[in-house]
């Protein structure tokens, strides 16, 4: 029963990640990271499929193995948060307390992303993904 629940949750996270690939204000990678985590508990085949993806596999493996985010990933994440906040401000016309709370959340999220280490290059004694 739990395996089916993890599989369904993984499929939901994968669907949200795919949607995020096409919508500029919705993240992609975080949903794919969550999908890999769910699939690791339910479907090794789907987990491997995501980790071997030429597009997202390197970032997912770097996060999983090292807790690392590339410089490009950090840049896109911070830009995405900035654009998201601007669209929120412009579209929702929030009160000052709400705008401040959302701003603090985005700043804390950006600080977390920016403090993650850069991925280490695989050395001659390490295979990619190790």
């Amino acid at each position: 029963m739990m395996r089916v629940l993890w599989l369904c949750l993984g499929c939901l996270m994968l669907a949200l990640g795919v949607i995020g690939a096409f919508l500029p204000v919705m993240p992609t990678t975080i949903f794919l990271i969550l999908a890999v985590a769910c699939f690791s508990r339910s479907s090794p085949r789907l987990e491997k499929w995501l980790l071997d993806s030429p597009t997202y596999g390197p970032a997912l493996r770097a996060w999983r193995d090292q807790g690392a985010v590339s410089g490009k990933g950090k840049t896109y994440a911070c830009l995405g948060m900035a654009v998201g906040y601007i669209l929120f401000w412009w579209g929702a016309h929030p009160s000052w307390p709400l705008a401040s709370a959302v701003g603090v959340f985005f700043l804390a999220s950006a600080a977390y992303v920016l403090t993650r280490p850069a991925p280490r290059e695989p050395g001659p004694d390490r295979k990619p993904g190790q």
Side-chain angles (χ1 to χ4, degrees):
M1 176 67 176
M2 286 304 294
R3 185 177 167 154
V4 172
L5 181 63
W6 283 116
L7 181 64
C8 291
L9 193 55
C11 289
L12 175 64
M13 295 299 113
L14 179 60
L16 291 172
V18 168
I19 291 168
F22 295 101
L23 293 178
V25 296
M26 189 166 165
T28 299
T29 308
I30 187 63
F31 289 116
L32 296 182
I33 288 170
L34 292 170
V36 167
C38 293
F39 291 149
S40 73
R41 292 166 176 81
S42 63
S43 175
R45 184 179 60 84
L46 289 173
E47 176 191 27
K48 182 179 178 342
W49 175 70
L50 275 176
L51 291 173
D52 290 344
S53 162
T55 304
Y56 296 106
L60 295 172
R61 285 190 306 276
W63 177 259
R64 180 182 198 162
D65 299 342
Q66 305 168 26
V69 179
S70 70
K72 182 178 174 181
K74 291 176 186 182
T75 300
Y76 282 131
C78 290
L79 284 173
M81 285 184 255
V83 168
Y85 186 78
I86 290 167
L87 290 174
F88 161 72
W89 181 270
W90 177 70
H93 306 290
S95 65
W96 282 106
L98 180 60
S100 298
V102 171
V104 167
F105 174 77
F106 276 134
L107 286 173
S109 299
Y112 178 78
V113 168
L114 291 172
T115 58
R116 299 304 92 203
R120 295 183 310 269
E121 292 296 324
D125 58 333
R126 289 194 347 233
K127 296 177 187 169
Q130 283 187 330

